Amino acid sequence: MSDFTIKSIDDMRGTFGGGFKLARAELGVTSFGMQVLDMPSGFADYPEHTDDEQEEVFIPLSGSGEMILDGESHALSPGMMIRVGHNVTRKIVPGPDGIRVIALGACPGKAFEPNPTTDLAALEA
């Protein structure tokens, strides 16, 4: 029997008013973390943060913005891919038209353990 899931990003449920799509949970992915971030222009609530263990890849799909990495600004636009090591401080700032970004993450050398806040059950709590 085939094992696949097909779903439109716009049909995925999400947190933060629907702006952080729970793509991993919606697709049934169990081996790595994945969200789709939809941030309108002027959205300032994406936190500056590091992660003790997780390596992340960010892939802009539409719009534009910048990623602040260890205090240094880097332009974001479709067609780019940005890998960020676990100890790098990061923050996404959307541009004038907002930005849609896929965020992928996992901890090198460790089995994936999903954060409960990225499960669909978190929407019902």
Side-chain angles (χ1 to χ4, degrees):
M1 178 176 260
S2 295
D3 182 13
F4 60 87
T5 307
I6 300 171
K7 195 159 205 175
S8 168
I9 292 170
D10 291 331
D11 292 336
M12 293 180 181
R13 292 172 283 172
T15 57
F16 298 102
F20 283 39
K21 309 289 189 198
L22 301 178
R24 179 199 60 77
E26 287 279 3
L27 294 173
V29 173
T30 59
S31 58
F32 56 90
M34 176 175 56
Q35 292 190 64
V36 176
L37 314 176
D38 278 326
M39 293 183 271
S41 177
F43 182 79
D45 292 339
Y46 185 84
E48 180 177 66
H49 66 285
T50 59
D51 193 302
D52 292 337
E53 301 180 81
Q54 185 166 267
E55 178 178 46
E56 293 180 299
V57 173
F58 297 89
I59 307 166
L61 297 178
S62 63
S64 65
E66 62 182 314
M67 180 166 265
I68 312 299
L69 300 170
D70 282 343
E72 186 177 315
S73 177
H74 302 270
L76 291 175
S77 61
M80 304 177 78
M81 299 177 82
I82 301 93
R83 186 200 66 83
V84 181
H86 67 89
N87 59 350
V88 174
T89 301
R90 67 208 68 175
K91 179 176 178 70
I92 297 173
V93 179
D97 296 323
I99 192 165
R100 175 177 269 185
V101 178
I102 294 177
L104 305 168
C107 298
K110 293 190 175 187
F112 177 69
E113 294 181 28
N115 182 324
T117 64
T118 66
D119 287 331
L120 296 177
L123 298 173
E124 299 161 7

